Amino acid sequence: MQQAARALPLGRARDALHGRWLGHPVHPLLVQVPVGSWLSAAVLDLFPGQRRAARTLIATGLGAALPAALAGWVDWAELHREQMRVGLVHAAANVAGIGLYAGSLTARLRGREALGRTLGLAGLGAVGVGGALGGHLAYRQASGANHAEHVPHLVRPGWHPLAELDDLPLGRPVRRDIDDIAVVAVRAEDDTVWVLAERCSHMAGPLSEGTVEDGCLRCPWHGSLFRLSDGWNVEGPATAPQPAFETRVVDGRVEARLRLEPTDRA
């Protein structure tokens, strides 16, 4: 299933579904439409004369479920194995909910309102279970969280010693430490040194084991691409940029400090 999700011919739409343009995963945003529609339909079922409105809301939720599910599967394919297990049950609960709501709408259109309401309540229960598992994925297992967010809060202001310039290999990422925080350093042929936080913002992959590609660094785990000059996430699945450092060379020794001001990333 992971291979099938990764093989979908989405092109640049894949990054859009990850939410790179938004700065965080877009799946939690998209699911608000079907969940909100179905919950509203359940409330309207409590009042007489609201059959048409309830049907409209259920149909709206079914239509909105497709892009929400697609974004979810795209994200799911780039998770750790333990997260993927929970994600499968989360998806199964939501698929069951979608099936129950499809049955509910069909029953209502055929005039079987009591059956339609029963199936709708069952669907809302299934979607509720799926939502609870989605919360577990996000908050307990840190799926979709920015795994580099802590770096700017832990590195002290000012310049910090990094390494001797001659000790840094040319064109190859290496791990070093600043204030006990792991960073990755890349030395160019003109002795420019780029430094980023070492753990990928997507799923904490070790960027020091990644590859340098045309001024960028690609994560070895899920392929996120970060610009070395400022940490900008050029390609997903990472939705957040990588904390970046300014560097200088003093008496042959490289020093670095956290970049405080955002640069032009156009």
Side-chain angles (χ1 to χ4, degrees), residues 17-19 23-29 71-88 90-91 130-148 200-204 221-222 237-240:
L17 289 168
H18 280 307
H24 60 76
V26 74
H27 173 67
L29 176 64
W73 282 113
V74 168
D75 285 343
W76 174 85
E78 308 300 339
L79 298 179
H80 294 316
R81 185 177 181 85
E82 293 78 8
Q83 296 167 328
M84 293 176 73
R85 289 186 199 148
V86 178
L88 278 179
H90 164 74
L133 290 170
H136 181 81
L137 270 168
Y139 297 110
R140 181 61 180 269
Q141 294 185 316
S143 167
N146 179 0
H147 290 263
C200 176
S201 64
H202 172 236
M203 291 300 292
W221 282 6
H222 302 103
T239 59

Side-chain angles (χ1 to χ4, degrees), residues 220-247:
W221 282 6
H222 302 103
S224 297
L225 190 67
F226 300 97
R227 194 158 58 203
L228 283 166
S229 60
D230 59 8
W232 185 245
N233 47 320
V234 179
E235 294 179 11
T239 59
Q242 202 69 6
F245 294 75
E246 297 175 338
T247 62

Side-chain angles (χ1 to χ4, degrees), residues 8-144:
L8 291 172
L10 298 173
R12 293 185 177 181
R14 186 176 298 273
D15 274 2
L17 289 168
H18 280 307
R20 191 174 72 87
W21 57 275
L22 186 62
H24 60 76
V26 74
H27 173 67
L29 176 64
L30 293 178
V31 300
Q32 303 308 309
V33 179
V35 172
S37 297
W38 293 333
L39 181 59
S40 299
V43 173
L44 291 183
D45 278 341
L46 300 176
F47 300 92
Q50 300 296 331
R51 294 181 178 180
R52 183 177 180 181
R55 293 173 186 172
T56 301
L57 285 168
I58 291 174
T60 300
L62 288 170
L66 178 60
L70 182 59
W73 282 113
V74 168
D75 285 343
W76 174 85
E78 308 300 339
L79 298 179
H80 294 316
R81 185 177 181 85
E82 293 78 8
Q83 296 167 328
M84 293 176 73
R85 289 186 199 148
V86 178
L88 278 179
V89 185
H90 164 74
N94 288 331
V95 168
I98 292 171
L100 288 165
Y101 269 111
S104 173
L105 182 61
T106 301
R108 292 167 192 259
L109 292 175
R110 292 178 177 177
R112 305 178 66 181
E113 289 295 329
L115 177 60
R117 292 179 180 181
T118 301
L119 291 174
L121 287 174
L124 187 61
V127 170
V129 171
L133 290 170
H136 181 81
L137 270 168
Y139 297 110
R140 181 61 180 269
Q141 294 185 316
S143 167

Side-chain angles (χ1 to χ4, degrees), residues 159-163 195 246-250 253-257:
W159 293 98
H160 302 271
L162 180 71
V195 177
E246 297 175 338
T247 62
R248 68 183 183 184
V249 179
V250 178
R253 186 171 183 82
V254 181
E255 297 180 348
R257 69 177 178 184

